[in-house]
Amino acid sequence: MSLFGTTSGFGTGGTSMFGSTTTDNHNPMKDIEVTSSPDDSIGCLSFSPPTLPGNFLIAGSWANDVRCWEVQDNGQTIPKAQQMHTGPVLDVCWSDDGSKVFTASCDKTAKMWDLNSNQAIQIAQHDAPVKTIHWIKAPNYSCVMTGSWDKTLKFWDTRSSNPMMVLQLPERCYCADVIYPMAVVATAERGLIVYQLENQPSEFRRIESPLKHQHRCVAIFKDKQNKPTGFALGSIEGRVAIHYINPPNPAKDNFTFKCHRSNGTNTSAPQDIYAVNGIAFHPVHGTLATVGSDGRFSFWDKDARTKLKTSEQLDQPISACCFNHNGNIFAYASSYDWSKVRIPRPALGAARQQSRALGWESIGLSCDSSPDSHHSFGQSPAHGKCPVSVSGHRLPCPWVQKDGQAGG
Amino acid sequence: MTICQFFLQGRCRFGDRCWNEHPGARGAGGGRQQPQQQPSGSNRRGWNTTSQRYSSVIQPSSFSKPTPWGGSRDQEKPSFSSFDSGASASRNRGFGLSENPFASLSSDGQKDEKKLLEGIVKDMEIWESSGQWMFSVYSPIKTKPNISGFTDISPEELRLEYHNFLTSNNLQSYLNSVQQLINQWRNRVNELKNINISTKVALVRHLLYVPCHIQKLNQAAPTFGFGSRQTTTFGSPGFPVNSSSSDNAQNFSFKTNSGFVPAPSGSPSGFRSPPAFGGVSSASSAISTSTPVFGFGKPEITSAASFSFKSPATSTFGSPGFSGFSASSAADPVRAPLAPAFGSVSSVAGFGSPGSHSYSAFSKPSNDTFGNSSIPTSLSVSNSIVATDNVLFTPKDKLTVEEVEQFQSKKFTLGK
């Protein structure tokens, strides 16, 4: 297993942000920083499935790499391995048995990374960057589903170079989620399609978007019987829509809520509105977490329609998030998500240096152990007892040692 | 009922037998109230069957908790309701006015329209002041189609373009392009914030009179003119690309069957249907927007002269269940994003190679074969409901803005 390659830049090229640790909001939640985090923005995070003992975190970044860490119970993160693509990695996912990781990249391919042998082979090809990748495990088939900006959704048997199936999308695929037997794809131009995956994937329904602006992220939630029953859709306008597929009363059951806005519910002053970059559902409690460009993450209860908790504001947008398989650990990535459109200063120069100039990319892991936030649940143990949260820090940083919890 | 545009021109050969509404001729008698007729499958395509009243839909930007939007919208194809009320609006007014149904609306229609416009203005103000992502489509109400003039670019796409430019060392053109996109956006937002008569007319038509899914079909993928490449697609004569009379050239353009790479990408495409006497089947692509083509070469400028009667598409509107997307599992005829490319040819953009689905906002269509009849004409046909209906004429709502204007004007000026 190769450790991560060049982490050049440690201590160099930094901005003046270092040193003023007192006002630094790099890690206001005092979560654990993952060591050796990627050099450029993190686009996607994924935790290993329950079939694998322990917790392994995969992150794909705009530095063309995919990194894997083992996250131990005491919170320590150990970098394990890395693979490269020839373009930024946009999405990652695990196979159901935890032996393979699938990565989708802007180089129009998707690869399958066998962790045991540390080999990655290409399993998919598109005509445009592959934006989403998911593993589908059905009783009678299993395949990888890739959604791309070339407006197609392709299903791949990893052994063959031809897709098993190609479905046309009305527009570029922006985000997708799969929980067998349901898959949801949200596309550009406010398109929204639900697929059913039994027997073979087929389009189930096209839905009118409940949101007024561009779709950004989607996540499927399950009902009490553990069957997928609806999805949460986030847009660039600081709003999330909860949509059930077959609700008894659509007008009342489906709703939208505002989030990631600067003024909270005070609507008199003009608010700053931020994009919702990621949505993740807690596997056990069914609460949802949203992360936004404002640099905060929030937990919500969609059944009680309340907000449970919002974090402090980080200094950078949070670009991705993920729960581990039992919900004890919540990982979020703090890195520039291009929401300001501006090119990072200094304007010219190599990409690496520029991303550094922005700040630093980091991944934080947190365990929401505060019981009060789950009061409305009435459920016993709160999220979990994980004492630490780690966020990766490329530059030597006092935090890593500081929080007494880190590393025990 | 639909307004008979032949009648409006004074040449309806069915006269009293005509199935369509002849406003002014017989509308006076209380108008034909919308009976709950034709429960299904009428050749009106369900326009008359809506039970949802238009007014219940409008909830301009008030996302209160249980948003009353839903209704039973999930399955239903609501878009026709808007048409319906629009039609009724114009119908009710019929008596005594000459053939200009758009001249005034009934009070109902007016109220809805007002609310809609207010909602849009408010949303625009919020959009501008909030610092949210600019490059997004927008629709005032969830059931309405996207308003033209906005492009949908995700941050990742933009960032990828940046990366590509970086490798080709052409940062300045990236910066320029982005600046142009921003300016385009700003112009459009200002236009919508300060709605003048012409914008209003265009908006109202776009949102109220054209069935929703057609609109969605016509939303072009972002087209940008970057670099010095001429957007020949828009510039060549005979292209039926016009910007609507009301909007500023930059922001609207009517897309037609662009003879692009008939790549089987599933993008919704807009077809323009020649006016009825073109004698061809319908599909009107209503205001299709090709998103702002920026200024290189000829920005889509209007002119009646450039309108052409293309041989047309049988556009299939898909089944009502589809929220606005045609069942485009078949080859996409048209719309590959008409974007003229970035100055430096990006290796990522799917240029020209026929099979490529140019995904990116910045890609350039391979050829400018507009006006060729190689234009693939059909969207997936399987769900077509429309095709046979409009062989003779195109219902008014299916016409593009200019076409409508032509029909309403005293003299036909197209092509002159």
Side-chain angles (χ1 to χ4, degrees), chain A residues 40-41 127-128 149 151 168-170 172 174 189-190 206 208 210 212 214 216 239 256 273 343 348 354, chain B residues 61 63 69 123 130 135-136 142 146 152-153 157 159 162 171 175 219 264 266-268 325 357 359:
Chain A
D40 204 339
S41 298
D127 299 322
W149 289 342
K151 309 182 191 176
Q168 288 297 326
L169 295 172
R172 295 154 283 162
Y174 276 175
E189 308 283 331
R190 294 170 62 240
R206 295 203 175 183
E208 288 258 358
K212 292 183 182 174
Q214 181 183 117
R216 185 100 177 99
R239 199 182 291 272
T256 69
I273 297 181
I343 297 180
L348 303 171
Q354 295 184 38
Chain B
S61 53
F63 286 67
W69 279 354
D123 283 345
S130 63
F135 309 123
S136 156
K142 85 167 175 177
N146 297 335
D152 216 4
I153 311 178
E157 287 169 303
R159 184 176 191 158
Y162 166 72
L171 215 44
L175 291 172
Q219 294 293 332
S267 72
F325 299 108
H357 306 244
Y359 70 94

Side-chain angles (χ1 to χ4, degrees), chain A residues 38-58:
Chain A
D39 293 329
D40 204 339
S41 298
I42 295 139
C44 45
L45 289 175
S46 184
F47 265 108
S48 53
T51 43
L52 212 54
N55 290 306
F56 291 83
L57 177 64
I58 298 278

